[in-house]
Amino acid sequence: MKKKIYSHFMLVVALAILLTMTFSSFLFYRLFKEQMYGDVRGYGQLILQSEQNAHMDWELYDSSGDYFRLTVVNRDGTVLYDNEVDASSMENHSDREEIIAAWETGQGQAVRRSDTLNRSTYYVALKLDEDTVIRVGRDGSSIWGLYLHVLPIVFLVGLLCWVVCLILASWLTRSILRPMQTLADNLDKPQTVPAYEELQPFLETIQKQHMDLLESAQMRQEFTANVSHELKTPLTVISGYAELIASGMAGDKDARHFAREIHENAGRLLTLINDILELSRLDSTSPGMELERVDLYPVALSCVEMLKINAQKHKVSLNLSGESAEVPGNKEMLEELIYNLCDNAIRYNKENGSVEVCVRNQVDTVVLTVKDTGIGIPKEHQSRVFERFYRVDKSRSRDTGGTGLGLAIVKHIVSLHQAVLELESEEGVGSLITVTFMKALS
C-alpha cells in the first residue's frame, strides 16, 4: 500500500509539473507575442503619424541597422517600397491576411514562421490612406525556438521540483500511513480512536472481524479439546474392557458385563461422532441457503412418533398438539431441531414426567414450543446451555448418554433459519423452549 500511494503521488506530481510547464510556456509565448505585436504596432503608428504630417519619403526608413522591416503596399497589392528587399522583385501582397484586414478595418496583424530559420516574423499592417497600406514587421523566436531556448532552465526547475516532491511524497506517505499502522497494531483495543474520522467505520468493522476471528479461533481450540476429551472417555472404557476379555481374566459373567459396557460406550461414541459431523455440516452451510415451504406440524409428529419408545423407556409421556403451520425452511434440519429438543426434554425429565410439543400459528409467525416437567436449569447456567459440550450436570449427562451437542445443534439450525430461540426454566420444575419462525408467504 505504501508503494502504491507513493507511486500514485509521484505520478500526480509529474503530471502537475508537466502541465504547469506546458501552460506556463504557452502563456509566456502569448505574452511574448502580444509584446511583439505591441512593439511593431507602436512603430507603425509612429511612422503613420510622421507621414501624415510630412511629405512621404520612404527612403528615410531605409536603415540596414533597423530591426523593423517596413513595407508599403498599394491598393492592388503591388509593393511600392520595402526597406530590406528591392520592391520590384517582390510578389503581389494582395493575398496577405494582414493586408486584407487593413483594407477592411484599417488595421491587421499576422505571424508567419520560417522553418528554415526556425524564427517567426510578426506583421502589423496599417491603412495610410485609400490607396496605401504600410506594413511593419519584426523577427522573433517561434514558440519552438522559445522552448529550445528555455529548455535547460525548464529542465533544471522541473528536476528541482521533482527532487523536492520526492522528499515531500516520502514524508507525506509515512504521515498518512502512520495512523493506520497504529490502528493495525491496536486492533484488539476497542478504545482506539483513529486519527482520521473517515476511518472510524472501517476501524469498527475491522475490529469486529478481528474479535470474531479471535473468538472463532478460541471456540475451535476449545471444541478440539472437548472433542478429544469426549472421544477419549468411551475409547478408554472400550479399550480397557476389550483388553480384559482378550487376556482371559474375565469369566463368563464378567465377559457379558464387559461386552455390555463396550456396546454402550460404542453407541455413545457413534452418537458423539454423528453429532460432531452434523455440527460440521451446519458450520459449512451458508446462511443464505435455499429454503422450501415446510409444514412444521407433520415434521413434529414424525419426531414424536420416533421418540415414543424412548419416552416410555424413561417413563415420560410425550404429546403433540397444534395445527398445520408452514414455514420457510430445510425439512431435514427442522427434523433434527425438533428431535433434539424432544430427546433432551425426555433425557433430563423425571419419572412419570411429561413433554408437551406444540405447533401454532400467529399473525406473521409460527411458534414451536417444547415444554417438560424435568429437572430444570439453574439461572446461572441458562445463558450457556446452548454452547458446545456445555453440561449443567456432567455426571447425569453421561449417565443418560448425552453428548453435550444437542442444544448447540438446535441453536445453529435456528440461526440458519433466522428464527428466534427462547428459554424459560426453573430448577426442579421444568423448562420451556420456544422457537419462533417467520410464516411462509402465501
Side-chain angles (χ1 to χ4, degrees), residues 20-34 143 146-147:
T20 300
M21 290 194 303
T22 302
F23 177 76
S24 299
S25 299
F26 275 102
L27 181 62
F28 175 73
Y29 176 70
R30 184 174 179 180
L31 293 174
F32 173 78
K33 185 177 178 181
E34 290 300 323
I143 186 170
L146 287 173
Y147 277 153

Side-chain angles (χ1 to χ4, degrees), residues 384-404:
R384 300 192 61 190
V385 291
F386 294 99
E387 295 178 10
R388 301 177 183 190
F389 292 112
Y390 188 83
R391 296 184 178 91
V392 177
D393 187 342
K394 295 183 179 180
S395 60
R396 179 182 174 91
S397 180
R398 288 196 175 91
D399 290 340
T400 57
T403 63

Side-chain angles (χ1 to χ4, degrees), residues 360-373:
R360 67 181 186 275
N361 282 294
Q362 291 190 344
V363 179
D364 297 317
T365 59
V366 173
V367 178
L368 166 70
T369 58
V370 178
K371 183 178 181 181
D372 66 65
T373 58

Side-chain angles (χ1 to χ4, degrees), residues 161-212:
C161 291
W162 181 261
V163 172
V164 172
C165 289
L166 277 174
I167 299 171
L168 288 176
S170 178
W171 177 77
L172 285 174
T173 302
R174 288 197 301 269
S175 298
I176 291 171
L177 294 179
R178 190 178 298 114
M180 299 180 70
Q181 183 62 48
T182 302
L183 291 178
D185 295 337
N186 295 275
L187 283 176
D188 54 345
K189 298 178 182 178
Q191 71 275 13
T192 303
V193 179
Y196 308 126
E197 184 179 346
E198 294 80 4
L199 287 177
Q200 185 64 42
F202 172 76
L203 173 63
E204 291 174 355
T205 302
I206 293 297
Q207 284 182 335
K208 184 178 182 300
Q209 292 177 347
H210 180 67
M211 298 306 294
D212 288 345

